[in-house]
Amino acid sequence: MGMEYALMMFALAEKYCGAPRQQMRPYFLGHLEKHGCGPGTEIYADVEKSIAWLEDASLKRLAQGGDSKLALSDRQVREWASTAVQDLGGCEALKQGHDQGFLK
């Protein structure tokens, strides 16, 4: 599974599906280090930046993809999140992946 999808799935599991909050850095950055991509590599820096953005992002910010010029209503945000979660397998699958590790 792509790292970008795994990061988004992790964030949606917490922010939409109610999975307990966990630190993303040890899990995702530890996975990269285990596979030889430690600090100083481009992918490590990119993932670290993505994690920082995702941890601070609200569900609305996720739905906007970081584009603050989009004026999404709460209903539009909920519809985006619902559709995204269903496309990714539903809340139960996201919570299970969150708990067991998406990258295994």
Side-chain angles (χ1 to χ4, degrees), residues 35-74:
H35 293 284
C37 299
T41 62
E42 186 175 349
I43 191 169
Y44 190 97
D46 288 347
V47 170
E48 194 168 34
K49 184 178 175 181
S50 294
I51 289 170
W53 187 84
L54 287 167
E55 285 179 338
D56 290 337
S58 64
L59 193 58
K60 183 172 187 169
R61 193 169 172 205
L62 291 179
Q64 293 171 318
D67 184 353
S68 60
K69 293 178 184 175
L70 288 178
L72 299 178
S73 68
D74 288 342

Side-chain angles (χ1 to χ4, degrees), residues 5-93:
Y5 284 110
L7 287 164
M8 183 58 77
M9 292 168 78
F10 197 96
L12 283 171
E14 290 183 358
K15 296 175 190 292
Y16 183 77
C17 297
R21 185 161 162 79
Q22 293 181 23
Q23 292 294 316
M24 296 172 86
R25 282 176 174 79
Y27 175 68
F28 287 99
L29 297 178
H31 178 79
L32 288 175
E33 288 178 13
K34 181 175 150 184
H35 293 284
C37 299
T41 62
E42 186 175 349
I43 191 169
Y44 190 97
D46 288 347
V47 170
E48 194 168 34
K49 184 178 175 181
S50 294
I51 289 170
W53 187 84
L54 287 167
E55 285 179 338
D56 290 337
S58 64
L59 193 58
K60 183 172 187 169
R61 193 169 172 205
L62 291 179
Q64 293 171 318
D67 184 353
S68 60
K69 293 178 184 175
L70 288 178
L72 299 178
S73 68
D74 288 342
R75 182 182 59 78
Q76 289 171 310
V77 170
R78 284 190 309 274
E79 287 174 3
W80 170 84
S82 176
T83 299
V85 165
Q86 290 311 309
D87 288 348
L88 294 169
C91 273
E92 290 308 311

